[in-house]
Amino acid sequence: MIANKTIYISDANCVTPLGFDLEANWKALVKGQSGIQFQEKYGNLSSIYASIIEDEKLNESFLKVSNENTFTKLEKMLILALHPIINKNKVTEKSVLILSTTKGNISLLENQELPIEEAQLATLAKKINTFFGFKTEPIVVSNACVSGVLAVSVAKRMIQFGAYENAFVIAGDEISEFVLSGFNSFQAMSSLPCAPYDESRNGVTLGEAAAAVYISSEKPTENAVAIIGDGAINDANHISGPSRTGEGLFKSIESAFKDANISKDKLDYISAHGTATLYNDEMEATAFSRSHIDTVAINSLKGYYGHTLGASGLLEIVIGLQSVYNEELLASKGFKNSGVSIPIAILKENRKKEIKYFLKTASGFGGCNTAILFEKIN
Amino acid sequence: MTTNYHISSYCKIENNTLQLNGATVLEMNDVLFPEFIKNASKTIGLEYPKFFKMDNLSKLAFLGAEAILKDNIDLENENDIALVFANKSSSLDTDVKYQDSISDSENYFPSPAVFVYTLPNICVGEISIKHQLKTENAFFVFDDFKPDFMSNYASYLLESGKTQKVLCGWVEYYKNEYKAFVYLVEKSGTIAHDKQNIQTLYNQ
Amino acid sequence: MEALKQELKSKIIEVLNLEDIAIEDINDNDPLFGDGLGLDSIDALELIVLLDKEYGIRLADPKQGKAIFESIETMAAYIAENRTK
């Protein structure tokens, strides 16, 4: 049975090229810094842009958490992201770990001597689960680029259903030649740092990151948001191209608003997907317009972090919450002149603003879309 | 726990056998998956050229879904059937194939048609497209079949009003080892939608 | 030229997994996309890889593909002129 109880996000953290905790990330973002850098060479690829975490810095930080050296880069990122949250919020018998990732430890396939099972997503989840002493089986959400947003939805739904008391949601993906070459073969890589919604945009810039949040039904006393609506609806149009009509995203947004039972004019901020491909950004503008939320302040954070795939949705929720708590919206980095056919209110500079209602959306391969509405509580 | 929902139809594909609601529809001997699934598609009367462009995981999931949906889709109206799928090996079988295409710098030709299938939820997209299911969808990965979770998540979608029916599926494919167990959950039907029944049907 | 066209048809059928379509079914001037063979955007990307892999042709701008991949005729003409292997 679904209990009529409110579900909250009351703690959050992230590990990115801009910093290994939330505070460092926020400071860098407010200053307009980006993790995207020119990469002379990456495997067989050359002259590309990507947002990559420095191994040395990561290892140094990881030593403060554990001196075991059996972890991959992605595992270290995920553990570092979740560690401070576990310290503050106890893992109980009915806590669950939910991992959002698209490719997990895919770079292990490069080493042909390793057993292939090492690259299984469930193996990755188990490792993190054991490290933090969870008593339940972990859940892996692998739904392309909406995974990070969908994982929060899944946590909310399963807690409301009574399956768990609380959920620790983590999301992570790393840069690998696998994904770089794949996006390249799709002719989808930007020749310059990505510029979401801009007239000059010509593709994605990839990035790597990990993010983590704590979700429960306990009413929080500090900074928190309630998850008041969510939807995850497919376009049923094409496996790699977004729908021209934005059907799935439109329906996901409508589904979230229906749950929340608030009027559209109350919405204060949209953290959109904004990958900077021609079709994705255009599709989003179409869907926002159809939902009549095209005048709401909106940004894409891809200009700061690149597209971090399965991490992106959760990372962008985590940063969006900082905007809510700090009452400051961030400029949509890389945006100068509108390159979408329907005008939307893209943030050109940082702006002070009180935010009560915040919408996060994402869309991805396979025609998937997800939208979640948050309401500021404290 | 009592439930208002039922499993109205189920399909299994494993060991070169296709079963629908417990009855064997096709059984073959000594063939590999590609040949078996091609025959299975003909047996159920599928005419869909895109099927042959799919990777093995998508073919498996698509056909398991098709066997059920071909008789359960209302062609006149929108069908509110959510898709909740899961497996163990994600898209690893195709991942390995794609990795092979980029591991030799002398013969480096990454294929977009292979890369697109290196996400497990593409199979859900394929099913959505065929039947125009603009509905809730999700793909999960577990180290083995989890009737508990599948039943909880499907029940949530139904009870919350997010959907009217849910097509659930366990669709595992790795190196010619495969198993699909796909079932439709809705109000009508005779088999109660609970984790014991799901486990029993899965094991049968 | 005729041999190249036959070879192209056979390679396209193989690479794009065109089930139940034989070389004889493809006419030199049939449109490859849209109503013709019904190819889509991923197929177009795959044809770009085919040009590179089989004929050593790298398109500077993927948008060029549209004109080149109009039919077997246009594709063969472009390959004959630009092939490096």
Side-chain angles (χ1 to χ4, degrees):
Chain A
M1 288 297 286
I2 302 172
N4 186 17
K5 56 186 174 191
T6 309
I7 309 297
Y8 306 93
I9 298 184
S10 56
D11 205 353
N13 191 32
C14 63
V15 169
T16 80
L18 292 182
F20 295 157
D21 61 38
L22 197 46
E23 208 188 328
N25 272 275
W26 183 251
K27 269 189 186 159
L29 290 169
V30 170
K31 282 189 236 158
Q33 291 170 2
S34 170
I36 298 172
Q37 288 189 335
F38 182 71
Q39 318 285 335
E40 189 88 43
K41 197 140 177 59
Y42 197 103
N44 282 289
L45 296 147
S46 52
S47 304
I48 54 162
Y49 284 90
S51 175
I52 300 179
I53 293 174
E54 279 180 44
D55 289 345
E56 228 169 89
K57 281 191 191 165
L58 180 71
N59 292 337
E60 201 178 294
S61 275
F62 189 75
L63 274 178
K64 292 172 205 153
V65 172
S66 165
N67 48 23
E68 284 179 62
N69 56 7
T70 56
F71 295 107
T72 64
K73 181 178 190 181
L74 179 62
E75 287 158 3
K76 288 176 191 167
M77 287 157 58
L78 288 165
I79 290 171
L80 260 186
L82 185 55
H83 191 260
I85 294 179
I86 295 274
N87 282 347
K88 269 174 69 184
N89 306 277
K90 213 168 149 256
V91 174
T92 67
E93 296 288 322
K94 286 199 83 181
S95 297
V96 67
L97 179 74
I98 302 180
L99 166 66
S100 154
T101 186
T102 61
K103 298 314 308 162
N105 281 317
I106 193 69
S107 57
L108 293 180
L109 291 187
E110 290 165 16
N111 180 349
Q112 287 169 352
E113 273 149 43
L114 279 176
I116 275 170
E117 285 61 38
E118 292 286 313
Q120 294 274 24
L121 302 184
T123 306
L124 167 63
K126 278 236 150 125
K127 254 176 132 172
I128 312 289
N129 215 54
T130 307
F131 183 87
F132 289 109
F134 282 87
K135 312 287 194 297
T136 55
E137 299 268 348
I139 298 166
V140 178
V141 177
S142 194
N143 218 54
C145 302
V146 312
S147 303
V149 183
L150 183 59
V152 169
S153 214
V154 169
K156 173 228 165 193
R157 291 169 174 186
M158 289 300 87
I159 295 170
Q160 273 188 340
F161 198 72
Y164 307 100
E165 264 169 13
N166 50 54
F168 295 77
V169 181
I170 54 173
D173 262 312
E174 61 173 352
I175 287 282
S176 61
E177 192 172 359
F178 189 105
V179 292
L180 285 170
S181 66
F183 274 83
N184 203 38
S185 78
F186 258 85
Q187 316 283 345
M189 295 265 276
S190 177
S191 49
L192 290 169
C194 66
Y197 309 109
D198 192 72
E199 59 186 2
S200 71
R201 75 184 186 279
N202 72 349
V204 301
T205 301
L206 292 167
E208 61 188 6
V213 297
Y214 176 68
I215 301 181
S216 78
S217 59
E218 303 142 42
K219 176 125 206 211
T221 51
E222 289 171 37
N223 279 345
V225 291
I227 303 166
I228 57 171
D230 57 322
I233 292 172
N234 202 286
D235 285 332
N237 178 62
H238 193 269
I239 53 169
S240 64
S243 152
R244 301 262 167 147
T245 60
E247 185 70 13
L249 179 55
F250 165 72
K251 285 195 161 185
S252 301
I253 294 168
E254 295 302 305
S255 178
F257 270 99
K258 192 178 164 211
D259 285 344
N261 198 21
I262 60 163
S263 70
K264 300 266 176 71
D265 58 16
K266 291 222 163 129
L267 186 62
D268 299 302
Y269 164 52
I270 306 167
S271 172
H273 192 47
T275 60
T277 67
L278 285 178
Y279 294 123
N280 172 78
D281 295 6
E282 181 68 22
M283 177 280 286
E284 287 185 85
T286 306
F288 295 141
S289 161
R290 287 182 66 192
S291 278
H292 304 296
I293 52 172
D294 42 327
T295 56
V296 180
I298 180 173
N299 64 9
S300 158
L301 298 175
K302 302 290 190 291
Y304 299 95
Y305 293 119
H307 191 348
T308 56
L309 307 177
S312 65
L314 193 65
L315 173 64
E316 289 155 11
I317 287 173
V318 167
I319 301 304
L321 298 187
Q322 288 307 297
S323 278
V324 172
Y325 305 145
N326 293 310
E327 301 183 347
E328 180 164 11
L329 295 176
L330 297 169
S332 195
K333 197 172 174 67
F335 177 78
K336 287 194 194 76
N337 299 304
S338 177
V340 289
S341 64
I342 297 164
I344 48 174
I346 301 154
L347 287 149
K348 279 193 175 173
E349 50 214 20
N350 296 359
R351 186 194 300 167
K352 284 281 174 194
K353 186 179 165 115
E354 207 176 302
I355 302 156
K356 185 158 188 207
Y357 294 103
F358 152 42
L359 175 71
K360 173 67 202 148
T361 69
S363 302
F365 274 11
C368 52
N369 302 274
T370 302
I372 300 188
L373 266 170
F374 299 98
E375 179 183 358
K376 184 184 180 184
I377 299 300
N378 295 318
Chain B
M1 200 173 83
T2 56
T3 167
N4 292 320
Y5 291 93
H6 298 87
I7 297 169
S8 61
S9 190
Y10 62 98
C11 170
K12 279 169 88 168
I13 305 174
E14 61 182 329
N15 303 324
N16 291 332
T17 306
L18 167 67
Q19 286 186 327
L20 186 60
N21 299 320
T24 300
V25 177
L26 176 70
E27 195 172 2
M28 293 177 78
N29 289 318
D30 299 327
V31 291
L32 288 178
F33 178 79
E35 198 186 331
F36 172 74
I37 205 75
K38 188 175 165 179
N39 276 280
S41 77
K42 296 207 162 122
T43 302
I44 66 162
L46 179 72
E47 283 181 36
Y48 195 62
K50 273 189 199 159
F51 180 72
F52 297 99
K53 292 175 178 276
M54 297 178 195
D55 76 340
N56 287 322
L57 173 63
S58 279
K59 279 183 179 154
L60 178 69
F62 184 91
L63 206 82
E66 192 62 27
I68 292 175
L69 291 179
K70 71 186 176 77
D71 300 324
N72 283 283
I73 282 281
D74 176 355
L75 293 171
E76 306 288 307
N77 296 298
E78 287 217 357
N79 291 273
D80 192 5
I81 306 174
L83 299 173
V84 178
F85 278 64
N87 75 0
K88 176 185 179 182
S89 297
S90 180
S91 54
L92 197 54
D93 188 73
T94 300
D95 293 354
V96 171
K97 187 175 167 194
Y98 180 78
Q99 182 70 40
D100 288 345
S101 79
I102 60 167
S103 56
D104 176 4
S105 57
E106 297 298 304
N107 192 20
Y108 180 84
F109 296 104
S111 157
V114 176
F115 181 69
V116 73
Y117 287 101
T118 63
L119 292 165
N121 65 302
I122 298 297
C123 67
V124 171
E126 296 281 17
I127 300 165
S128 302
I129 292 166
K130 171 75 185 349
H131 298 286
Q132 284 302 296
L133 300 176
K134 291 162 190 164
T135 55
E136 279 280 336
N137 66 116
F139 199 100
F140 300 98
V141 176
F142 296 103
D143 66 352
D144 55 19
F145 182 56
K146 292 276 183 292
D148 226 359
F149 180 82
M150 295 300 282
S151 119
N152 287 343
Y153 197 74
S155 295
Y156 181 92
L157 292 177
L158 293 161
E159 288 176 27
S160 64
K162 290 277 178 200
T163 191
Q164 285 179 4
K165 302 179 185 182
V166 185
L167 188 73
C168 295
W170 174 263
V171 287
E172 167 66 9
Y173 187 98
Y174 185 64
K175 297 243 153 122
N176 270 306
E177 293 286 320
Y178 60 91
K179 175 166 184 160
F181 169 50
V182 182
Y183 58 98
L184 183 63
V185 186
E186 59 181 311
K187 276 249 157 75
S188 63
T190 50
I191 307 168
H193 175 240
D194 60 40
K195 64 175 178 179
Q196 284 81 12
N197 285 340
I198 297 170
Q199 184 73 63
T200 307
L201 293 177
Y202 174 86
N203 291 343
Q204 254 172 22
Chain C
M1 197 58 148
E2 209 43 49
L4 175 60
K5 285 183 200 167
Q6 294 303 309
E7 177 187 286
L8 257 183
K9 288 176 191 175
S10 143
K11 283 195 168 133
I12 287 175
I13 289 171
E14 185 200 327
V15 170
L16 304 185
N17 294 308
L18 303 180
E19 185 74 15
D20 296 330
I21 289 181
I23 293 180
E24 309 80 73
D25 298 336
I26 309 175
N27 295 315
D28 293 354
N29 290 304
D30 281 354
L32 293 175
F33 291 83
D35 289 340
L37 280 182
L39 304 186
D40 80 349
S41 56
I42 300 176
D43 296 317
L45 295 167
E46 206 57 43
L47 291 180
I48 293 177
V49 177
L50 184 141
L51 283 188
D52 185 7
K53 190 172 180 175
E54 304 292 336
Y55 305 103
I57 302 171
R58 289 211 173 163
L59 296 189
D61 179 358
K63 288 199 192 88
Q64 282 178 278
K66 202 170 179 196
I68 300 166
F69 304 141
E70 212 176 284
S71 64
I72 292 291
E73 188 74 42
T74 57
M75 231 181 133
Y78 186 82
I79 290 168
E81 191 149 317
N82 296 283
R83 66 191 300 170
T84 63
K85 68 178 182 191

